[in-house]
Every structure is written in structure tokens, then in C-alpha cells.
Amino acid sequence: MKNRLLLVTCLLVSGAAVAQSVPRKPLPIIDVHVHAMKVNPNFAADMCPWFLKDMPGSDPNQPPPSFVNTDCVAPLKAAKSDAEMQTALVETMQRLNMTIIAYGDAQILRNWKKAAPGRVIAGIGISSPNDMSVKAFTDSLSSGFYEVMGEVAPQYQGLSPSDMSLDGYFAAAEKLNIPVGIHMGTGGNGMANLTQPKYRASLGRPFLLEDVLARHPKMKIWVMHAGYPMLDEMIALMGANAYVYVDLAGFIWSYPQAEIHAYLKRLVQAGFGKRILYGTDFMVWPKLFETSIGLIENADYLSFDQKRDILFNNAVRFFRLDASKYK
Ligand SMILES: [Zn+2]
């Protein structure tokens, strides 16, 4: 009896040791806003998150302000080559149990999909009729490679999202049941001076979506950057249009944390916790994923369930995914 007890104890102990040695898979995360781009080592600067805590006074006779700030103790390192980027991205996706919706360079997207099967959903964006014809766009969507239309960013081209020159593209997405992500709101400090002279802050107003939504009642859109900082219009638009979601990309790591939390808290407080998607606007800094996830994890005004909605459940619902494939 004593021996048998000893054996049972040994089995229990070794069972516990085995259970401890197998790391638990983290709960799944979906990042709905990732840019797939070729790395240009000359432009891939390191970056200090939440750098827009002061908007420096500038003068047009001086060199323009830089897009990011590198002046902090531990800036996020930029990847210096496509290979370094891909290795870091794949490792991060596996470790964090993360799936991404990514837009940009077609070859990079193909490489990422191959390197991380099942973790990359490809999107194709259009921002003006000069990008490609409606026919070429429809053919691309019909190929099956692209499952999302994004990032659509007419604001940078000086166009409203409801401009009729874009209507054929939205009609194609609506017909093919493809979700659409549209850039509305912030584009970074001094964007109109830096690289995008056609950018207009006023063309990021969420109300500008009302006409295109009315013309395409079956189209499912999400407002990228949550229309920051036009919160009242964003809330009014979502109140009037039950299928519109938002993502938190870009401002989640660039504006001061108190400002991000105030915006996010108000969206949740207004009742839209089920329509907020987690997204980063990832470009070249592999550690940006953890930095951005940390902001959600540290939001003490959100319950565990509300965090899970933002990080995963809302994206599953919005993109009509099969949750069982993402355990
Ligand atoms: Zn954007």
C-alpha cells in the first residue's frame, strides 16, 4: 500500500512537472491593421512610442519636423532588412498567438503568408482612381488572395471617401462581400507639410462616410484610427450605422497614453465596446506589437471580457471568421 501510494505520488509529481513544462498558448489576438512594406534601411528610423506628447512649435523656414521621435531611453528598433522583419514578425505572431490583417507590397504579403500559414489575411487598398482601374481591382479581389479591402486612404489624396470617383471600387467590395477599412482622421503630426501636401484634416471627418454608406447598404466598413480626434462624429456615425466598426491603429502608440485612454474609454462608455478592433498600423518596428497590446492590457477601466472583445472577438465577428481556427 505504501509502495502504491509512493508510485501514485511519483506519477502526480511527474505529471505536474510535465504540465508545467508545456507553456500555455496565449489567448488569440487579431491585429487588423498591419502594413506589409519593403524595408528601406535608409528610412527605417527607430521610434519612441507615444512621442506626440508635445507638438513642437515649428517654422516653415526651418527643416520640417521629423515624423517620429527617436529621443528616449529605449526606442523601438526598426528592422533593417526584409529578412530581419519577416523573421521577427513570424516569431512574434507565433509567440503571441497572433493573426494579422496586412496590406501593402504583394510580394511581401506572399512571403509572410508562406512563412506563417493561417496567420496572415491579405488586403488590397485603393486611395484614388489613379491607383488602378475598377476592373483590375475587381479582378484582384476575385482572385481569392485578397480577403479585405484596405487601407483605403482617400484623405491623403484630398478626396472624401464618398467621392463618386471611388464608388465603383466600393460597389465591387460590396458585391463580393469584402470588408473595407477606410483611413479617417489622424495622419501624424505635420503630415500636410512633410510628405502629403494633399492631406486635409477636414476630409477625415466621420460624417463624410454617410453618403457612401447609404449608397452601399451591404458594405461592411471599419473606420481606421477611429476617426481620431473627432470622437463625437464617430459616436454619432456608429449610432446611426449599426455595421460600422473602428480600429485603434496609429494613435494607440503615437499620442500620449492619457489621450488614447480618454478616447478609448469614451467609445466604450458610449456603448461601442463590441465594435472596437485592435490594430497597430505596424510599419517597421517588431516590438510595436507588444507595446500596443500592453496599452489594452493596462486599461484598468476595461474588464477582461472587454479586452478580449477588442483583441479578438470583435474582429472574428466583423470579418466573419471561424473562431475555432484561432484557438
Ligand atoms: Zn491610416
Side-chain angles (χ1 to χ4, degrees):
M1 183 66 191
K2 197 179 168 191
N3 279 351
R4 203 190 287 169
L5 189 66
L6 190 67
L7 178 67
V8 170
T9 312
C10 286
L11 283 175
L12 283 175
V13 169
S14 63
V18 169
Q20 259 175 15
S21 68
V22 179
R24 252 185 44 226
K25 209 172 170 188
L27 293 170
I29 290 173
I30 299 178
D31 183 336
V32 306
H33 197 137
V34 169
H35 291 284
M37 51 175 79
K38 286 203 160 74
V39 174
N40 182 338
N42 299 321
F43 289 102
D46 298 347
M47 186 272 289
C48 302
W50 308 298
F51 57 89
L52 291 172
K53 57 184 177 296
D54 85 82
M55 301 281 192
S58 303
D59 188 293
N61 289 343
Q62 300 293 322
S66 65
F67 178 60
V68 295
N69 181 5
T70 56
D71 184 19
C72 64
V73 178
L76 302 182
K77 296 278 173 225
K80 295 294 183 200
S81 69
D82 294 342
E84 183 190 336
M85 168 72 88
Q86 182 172 311
T87 303
L89 175 70
V90 171
E91 186 277 327
T92 305
M93 286 196 289
Q94 287 168 348
R95 180 165 41 82
L96 301 179
N97 195 11
M98 187 171 78
T99 301
I100 61 173
I101 297 179
Y103 338 95
D105 186 272
Q107 187 56 52
I108 298 281
L109 284 171
R110 266 191 289 276
N111 295 348
W112 288 2
K113 271 176 89 94
K114 203 170 157 200
R119 292 200 182 275
V120 181
I121 296 169
I124 182 167
I126 186 101
S127 294
S128 96
N130 301 328
D131 290 351
M132 68 176 85
S133 68
V134 172
K135 162 99 172 61
F137 180 73
T138 308
D139 289 348
S140 295
L141 284 185
S142 306
S143 74
F145 180 75
Y146 296 109
E147 298 170 74
V148 168
M149 178 179 176
E151 179 171 9
V152 179
Q155 188 178 1
Y156 289 98
Q157 305 301 323
L159 289 175
S160 159
S162 288
D163 193 284
M164 283 309 290
S165 66
L166 299 171
D167 211 58
Y169 305 94
F170 291 130
E174 181 184 34
K175 194 169 167 209
L176 295 167
N177 234 355
I178 300 270
V180 181
I182 306 183
H183 173 109
M184 301 295 288
T186 179
N189 183 35
M191 190 45 70
N193 316 108
L194 289 174
T195 55
Q196 305 288 341
K198 292 183 185 167
Y199 182 87
R200 295 290 179 272
S202 53
L203 290 174
R205 293 183 59 187
F207 281 170
L208 293 176
L209 289 163
E210 288 202 291
D211 286 349
V212 70
L213 284 166
R215 287 199 294 265
H216 301 287
K218 291 275 186 191
M219 184 171 73
K220 222 169 173 194
I221 76 153
W222 88 97
V223 176
M224 295 167 148
H225 319 291
Y228 179 89
M230 290 160 277
L231 185 52
D232 287 344
E233 283 200 17
M234 196 65 253
I235 287 173
L237 185 88
M238 291 169 89
N241 294 274
Y243 313 128
V244 172
Y245 284 51
V246 296
D247 81 27
L248 305 174
F251 75 93
I252 194 173
W253 49 263
S254 58
Y255 286 87
Q257 292 183 63
E259 175 73 355
I260 304 161
H261 285 304
Y263 204 81
L264 173 57
K265 187 177 181 184
R266 173 86 195 285
L267 282 169
V268 174
Q269 195 173 280
F272 296 106
K274 297 268 183 213
R275 285 158 62 186
I276 301 168
L277 306 169
Y278 168 71
T280 50
D281 215 347
F282 176 85
M283 290 173 231
V284 291
W285 311 280
K287 286 288 173 204
L288 186 74
F289 295 111
E290 279 109 322
T291 303
S292 305
I293 291 166
L295 187 127
I296 304 295
E297 296 291 3
N298 292 332
D300 57 10
Y301 49 90
L302 295 177
S303 67
F304 174 82
D305 287 345
Q306 286 172 321
K307 290 175 187 175
R308 289 304 304 152
D309 282 346
I310 292 170
L311 290 168
F312 181 71
N313 298 324
N314 294 346
V316 166
R317 189 183 328 107
F318 180 80
F319 293 100
R320 306 179 179 113
L321 301 174
D322 177 355
S324 68
K325 290 189 180 155
Y326 297 88
K327 291 299 174 204

XYZ file of all heavy atoms in Angstrom, residues 33 35 151 156 183 224-225 281, ligand 1:
78
model
N -4.601 45.845 -38.539
C -4.029 46.987 -39.279
C -2.502 46.900 -39.318
O -1.801 47.527 -38.521
C -4.484 48.281 -38.604
C -4.320 49.515 -39.446
N -5.287 50.495 -39.521
C -3.308 49.943 -40.230
C -4.862 51.461 -40.313
N -3.668 51.168 -40.751
N 0.933 47.051 -41.952
C 1.436 47.402 -43.287
C 2.579 46.467 -43.676
O 3.524 46.290 -42.908
C 1.898 48.859 -43.313
C 0.752 49.820 -43.202
N -0.098 50.089 -44.251
C 0.279 50.529 -42.149
C -1.029 50.940 -43.865
N -0.831 51.222 -42.590
N -5.597 49.320 -46.978
C -6.143 50.513 -46.387
C -6.594 51.454 -47.481
O -5.819 51.796 -48.379
C -5.070 51.187 -45.510
C -5.548 52.471 -44.859
C -4.540 52.993 -43.823
O -3.416 52.485 -43.714
O -4.911 53.941 -43.111
N -5.556 61.259 -47.887
C -4.211 61.688 -48.279
C -4.174 62.231 -49.707
O -3.227 62.887 -50.102
C -3.219 60.514 -48.173
C -2.889 60.113 -46.760
C -3.523 59.052 -46.139
C -1.908 60.806 -46.049
C -3.201 58.680 -44.842
C -1.580 60.448 -44.753
C -2.228 59.381 -44.155
O -1.906 59.028 -42.872
N -9.209 54.810 -43.941
C -8.470 55.741 -43.083
C -9.301 57.000 -42.879
O -9.680 57.668 -43.841
C -7.135 56.101 -43.754
C -6.387 57.178 -43.036
N -5.235 56.931 -42.330
C -6.635 58.509 -42.897
C -4.802 58.065 -41.788
N -5.641 59.044 -42.130
N -10.646 53.233 -39.797
C -9.303 53.094 -39.254
C -8.936 54.353 -38.453
O -9.335 55.456 -38.818
C -8.324 52.871 -40.400
C -8.593 51.548 -41.111
S -7.704 51.450 -42.660
C -7.376 49.697 -42.739
N -8.204 54.165 -37.387
C -7.795 55.253 -36.484
C -8.990 55.850 -35.742
O -8.869 56.920 -35.134
C -7.039 56.360 -37.228
C -6.065 55.836 -38.244
N -4.920 55.171 -37.892
C -6.088 55.849 -39.599
C -4.276 54.805 -39.000
N -4.967 55.183 -40.034
N -1.281 49.667 -37.002
C -0.633 50.497 -38.024
C 0.860 50.149 -38.064
O 1.716 51.013 -38.299
C -0.793 51.996 -37.735
C -0.931 52.812 -39.025
O -0.657 52.264 -40.103
O -1.305 53.980 -38.934
Zn -4.147 55.006 -41.876
